[in-house]
Amino acid sequence: TALIRVGIAGYGNLGRGVEAAIQQNSDMQLVAVFSRREPTSVTLLNAEVPVYAMAEVEQHQANIDVMILCGGSKTDLPEQGPYLAQFFNTVDSFDTHAKVNEYHAALDTPAKKTGHVALLSVGWDPGLFSLNRLFGEAILPQGETYTFWGKGLSQGHSDAVRRVAGVKKAVQYTLPNADAIARVRNGEQPVLSTREKHNRECYVVLSQGADAETVCNSIVTMPDYFADFDTVVNFIDETTFDKEHNNMPHGGFVIRSGVSGTSSKQTIEYSLKLDSNPEFTASVLVAYARAVHRLACAGEVGAKTVFDIAPGLLSPKSPAQLRKELL
Ligand code: NDP
């Protein structure tokens, strides 16, 4: 059978991750990358794949089965999503919670008009975590859902620490609070504030002559960012920093704690521990690109989310093979 021909629109962290993930899926082929930058300035992992200007994307309609959109949610996708849905079946990782229905509508119109599938908000959160929250709530209607994030790199908080006088380099990780998780797993169904759910951990390289205690104090008392959290500040040397803190780890937990019958405690837990957030998100996008291709071949059109996609469509295995592996 023919390979699924995939394009990438926008080549940053996520775009690079998509390129790597396609290499691990033998039923797929990356045929082109599109960028708003000068194509010769964009260096791919595989130099044999062509890079084209986004402005000429329309000319490549006939050669691409699914376009994976790797632009940022804030300003890129609201523009690129509806535009590209006119020409291609698309998958993206739109994660602006407050605007998801607006974005769905903006994709649905062009996709239906031109006969394409546009799958939005794929990744881990939104994405796999959303599915797991839905399972928990549908299966255990009496209960509470908890999402904990981390250990994860927070870009905004890292920037805030870097602005403190005396800081040369810094990263900030958000960690789930171990006590809070233990109480949830125990079926206590506690009411937890954001502050009680997460701790903060900083790794800092001091500038020449800076005083560790002063820097630590400025960080842990910083309003909005750290003052309301339990924060640990670790001072390390630059070599260690460059070696151990150049990844983008993330992950977290979705836990549904419920009661069935009269008093049976039931707990569902799903967790992710990711060395690289963009590489993992990209891997999810690629599996869903397979589903989008199959739906499009079956004549489906319009905007969709992970809730609309049957799990079997994600797998390269045939329905008969999957049935054999049901149990
Ligand atoms: P990047 O900032 O790395 O890339 C975004 C865009 O910026 C690219 O598409 C690219 O467009 C442009 N760009 C990238 N590198 C450069 C550069 N050196 N100079 C100029 N422009 C550049 O963002 P990420 O790939 O890290 O993240 C993209 C989105 O993924 C996030 O906004 C977030 O919404 C989403 N995401 C979703 C998750 C989920 O679970 N659902 C998890 C993680 C991320 P172009 O090639 O056209 O210039």
Side-chain angles (χ1 to χ4, degrees):
T1 53
L3 297 179
I4 303 171
R5 300 166 303 168
V6 181
I8 294 175
Y11 196 80
N13 297 311
L14 205 54
R16 200 174 308 110
V18 167
E19 183 185 5
I22 290 171
Q23 289 173 1
Q24 296 182 334
N25 287 275
S26 58
D27 59 337
M28 296 192 178
Q29 176 192 11
L30 178 62
V31 295
V33 170
F34 299 89
S35 175
R36 291 161 298 183
R37 282 165 286 159
E38 162 59 37
T40 53
S41 73
V42 178
T43 311
L44 308 189
L45 301 171
N46 175 2
E48 281 159 35
V49 174
V51 182
Y52 300 110
M54 191 74 87
E56 60 173 83
V57 70
E58 192 181 339
Q59 298 164 29
H60 295 266
Q61 284 181 75
N63 307 321
I64 292 173
D65 297 313
V66 185
M67 186 70 90
I68 302 185
L69 279 48
C70 298
S73 290
K74 206 167 172 202
T75 53
D76 298 341
L77 294 177
E79 205 178 287
Q80 293 176 343
Y83 175 72
L84 293 170
Q86 302 175 82
F87 311 123
F88 303 97
N89 299 306
T90 64
V91 188
D92 70 52
S93 68
F94 185 77
D95 67 358
T96 312
H97 175 82
K99 298 205 170 147
V100 70
N101 272 314
E102 194 181 310
Y103 184 63
H104 180 279
L107 292 176
D108 197 48
T109 307
K112 280 194 174 138
K113 203 164 151 198
T114 56
H116 293 110
V117 174
L119 179 61
L120 60 138
S121 300
V122 173
W124 60 277
D125 201 359
L128 301 178
F129 272 18
S130 326
L131 282 174
N132 281 280
R133 287 188 286 261
L134 182 149
F135 285 143
E137 286 162 19
I139 293 163
L140 298 171
Q142 278 192 27
E144 286 295 330
T145 302
Y146 298 85
T147 303
F148 294 90
W149 289 279
K151 177 182 180 173
L153 179 79
S154 163
Q155 210 57 64
H157 285 78
S158 298
D159 288 342
V161 176
R162 284 192 282 266
R163 283 196 296 269
V164 171
V167 172
K168 185 171 182 193
K169 292 185 175 180
V171 285
Q172 195 269 180
Y173 300 106
T174 305
L175 290 97
N177 181 295
D179 289 341
I181 291 201
R183 290 179 64 197
V184 170
R185 284 184 178 143
N186 198 33
E188 291 177 32
Q189 296 190 19
V191 178
L192 298 167
S193 63
T194 314
R195 177 209 150 107
E196 288 171 307
K197 284 171 69 181
H198 295 100
N199 299 344
R200 303 199 177 278
E201 185 178 77
C202 306
Y203 288 85
V204 174
V205 180
L206 288 171
S207 316
Q208 190 89 41
D211 175 53
E213 207 181 309
T214 313
V215 169
C216 180
N217 232 338
S218 312
I219 296 171
V220 301
T221 58
M222 195 188 298
D224 301 330
Y225 286 87
F226 294 100
D228 297 332
F229 289 86
D230 289 337
T231 303
V232 175
V233 181
N234 302 294
F235 293 100
I236 56 174
D237 63 76
E238 195 162 357
T239 315
T240 311
F241 185 93
D242 292 343
K243 201 170 88 194
E244 294 176 8
H245 300 281
N246 56 2
N247 280 347
M248 283 182 264
H250 222 310
F253 303 81
V254 172
I255 305 175
R256 179 70 176 175
S257 170
V259 175
S260 69
T262 50
S263 61
S264 309
K265 281 187 188 174
Q266 317 278 23
T267 309
I268 307 174
E269 180 167 335
Y270 181 76
S271 81
L272 294 173
K273 188 168 179 293
L274 311 173
D275 272 357
S276 164
N277 179 5
E279 284 180 17
F280 183 78
T281 303
S283 301
V284 183
L285 285 166
V286 167
Y288 273 93
R290 178 182 293 118
V292 163
H293 176 62
R294 289 171 171 171
L295 287 176
C297 289
E300 295 247 2
V301 294
K304 299 185 186 302
T305 71
V306 291
F307 297 142
D308 306 312
I309 309 295
L313 295 173
L314 303 175
S315 173
K317 294 175 181 173
S318 70
Q321 183 61 32
L322 289 174
R323 279 192 293 276
K324 278 195 211 160
E325 294 172 11
L326 257 175
L327 69 170

